[in-house]
Amino acid sequence: MERSPHMSSQEFRDAGKRLIDWLADYYDEVERYPVLAQVAPDQIRTSLPQEPPQSQTEFAQILNTVNSKIMPGITHWQSPNFFAYFPANSSGASVLGDLLSSGLGVQGMLWATSPACTEVEMLVLDWLVKMLGLPETFLSSGKGGGVIQDSASSSSLCAILAARERATGFRSNEYGCREELVAYTSTQAHSSIEKDIKVSGIGSRNLRLIDVDANFAMRPESLEKVIEEDKLAGKLPFIVCATAGTTSSLAFDPLEAIGQICKKHNLWLHVDAAMAGTAALCPEFRHIHRGLELADSYCFDAHKWMFTNFDCSCFYVADRETLIRSLDVLPEYLRNQAAGPGAVFEYRNWHVPLGRRFRALKLWFVIQHYGVEGLQFLVRRHVEIAQTFLKWVRNDSRFEVMAPAPLNLICFRLNASDEVNEELLQRINRGGRLYVSHTRLNGKYTIRFCVAQTNTELPHVQRAWHAICDEAAALLNARRV
Ligand code: PLP
């Protein structure tokens, strides 16, 4: 090879500018694409060369292929017409923070391998305690602290592992689970809890799904009854995973009552506020966390609603020693001067992976760019727009609202069969003007409409409502003929 195959710094500079321009154009024009990718399975893979290139490809050519072959397979999560699932919203500030993290290429597995990676993370997670009005027990200056995980699923897994060790006096780490440990969550909890229970060796047979009230919130009296039955049967109840904002309907489990039960029976309380936690930026929505001071751990995903691109799940514990002791393994090759007990935070002991990206940078960029007031303004606006949408649904007798909608998720359906509602959802998404997803509430097929994409404004929701009404009218007419 005559010349180095690496990008020269000039090539990197030129290509980087082109890519930022490309992204800026994309954000400007994102509404021109159908929100949900309209491709058949395997279409993208088979449209690309099946053999790897032997020689170098020009950057311009790579971008051309992105435009022609990759973009058709993109579902546009950053479209303001994305109302499906919970969002994975983003922002310019976040993307640039993430780019800086990639560019620095830091692997922050130890404090010593990049002290700033650890210390900015500690700082930003302490900021968030104050910004969301979380209990002070989660501050790093006390016995607790926060850490960024890749996802809420991983955050909950770590909570379960720490709770398992606390309940067994750290014996399950040494000998495996001997006791029959039992965990509790509601029927409405996210599926990640069940997955975590499987991964942690507890066994899904030992996960109790507690029933919920008419608002889809866990019934504390049912929880206590089941815990008592398990104790009588000689089992070891060890954790309750409560949810602040369930995936299906954004229901809020009563944390205060659940927390009291956990204290009484000596169970770990983990609170999963994956999407809704961000609402607590606004003091008027902090009631969603009432009782959180009784929790041993908590997580919310900044990558859902807080304008920070995936992945960025913020996980807190009130007693970091239990978490660290549960996950600590220190081989000789990781020993270093700073690694003396408690001298600095060693985040490798706060989650499963050893290696870690400098994810705090994007969060730090976001918080500085918007400021607390900017973030509050955006969250309030999303809630206000969602509440306007709720009124439109309520005032249209063809539809029914399926769950309380205190924030930014509206669950509704046509007053018709499940089959009709399923067809309505498919028609809406095929149309490409917006993207919604579904769930099942009280056994009924339900459409979910979540307002949380970065650039969603009232006109987007107005157009979405018209599109939904048009599709509903066309569907009902077609069925009448
Ligand atoms: N918990 C709740 C309440 C959720 O809604 C979700 C995803 O939507 C998760 C956990 C899982 O999130 P993640 O993808 O960060 O693991």
Side-chain angles (χ1 to χ4, degrees), residues 5 8-9 55 83 109 144 166 174 217 231 342 345 362 435 443 451 473:
S8 69
S9 65
S55 56
F83 303 102
M109 61 183 180
R166 189 176 82 176
E174 298 285 320
K231 279 178 136 178
F345 272 22
K362 58 186 171 187
Y435 183 26
V451 181

Side-chain angles (χ1 to χ4, degrees), residues 256-329:
E256 238 168 351
I258 293 171
Q260 298 296 354
I261 294 168
C262 288
K263 288 275 171 271
K264 181 170 156 196
H265 294 277
N266 198 20
L267 271 71
W268 184 289
L269 173 59
H270 174 63
V271 177
D272 171 9
M275 203 277 299
T278 293
L281 284 166
C282 306
E284 68 272 29
F285 301 136
R286 288 199 186 145
H287 55 85
I288 64 168
H289 285 153
R290 195 171 295 138
L292 192 59
E293 63 284 355
L294 298 169
D296 296 284
S297 57
Y298 166 83
C299 74
F300 89 99
D301 287 350
H303 66 238
K304 284 191 161 62
W305 193 9
M306 220 187 90
F307 313 100
T308 308
N309 59 289
F310 191 81
D311 49 355
C312 192
S313 181
C314 302
F315 175 58
Y316 289 93
V317 284
D319 168 20
R320 61 178 178 267
E321 281 314 312
T322 301
L323 176 69
I324 292 169
R325 199 173 151 196
S326 302
L327 299 179
D328 186 16
V329 181

Side-chain angles (χ1 to χ4, degrees), residues 85-87 149-156 188-193 196 242-248 250-251 272-276 299-301 303-304 310-313 448:
Y85 307 105
F86 283 149
Q149 307 256 356
D150 55 1
S151 64
S153 307
S154 299
S155 297
S156 300
Q188 299 296 305
H190 190 261
S191 56
S192 53
I193 301 297
D196 292 339
T243 314
T246 58
T247 315
S248 276
L250 216 65
D272 171 9
M275 203 277 299
C299 74
F300 89 99
D301 287 350
H303 66 238
K304 284 191 161 62
F310 191 81
D311 49 355
C312 192
S313 181
R448 297 169 70 267

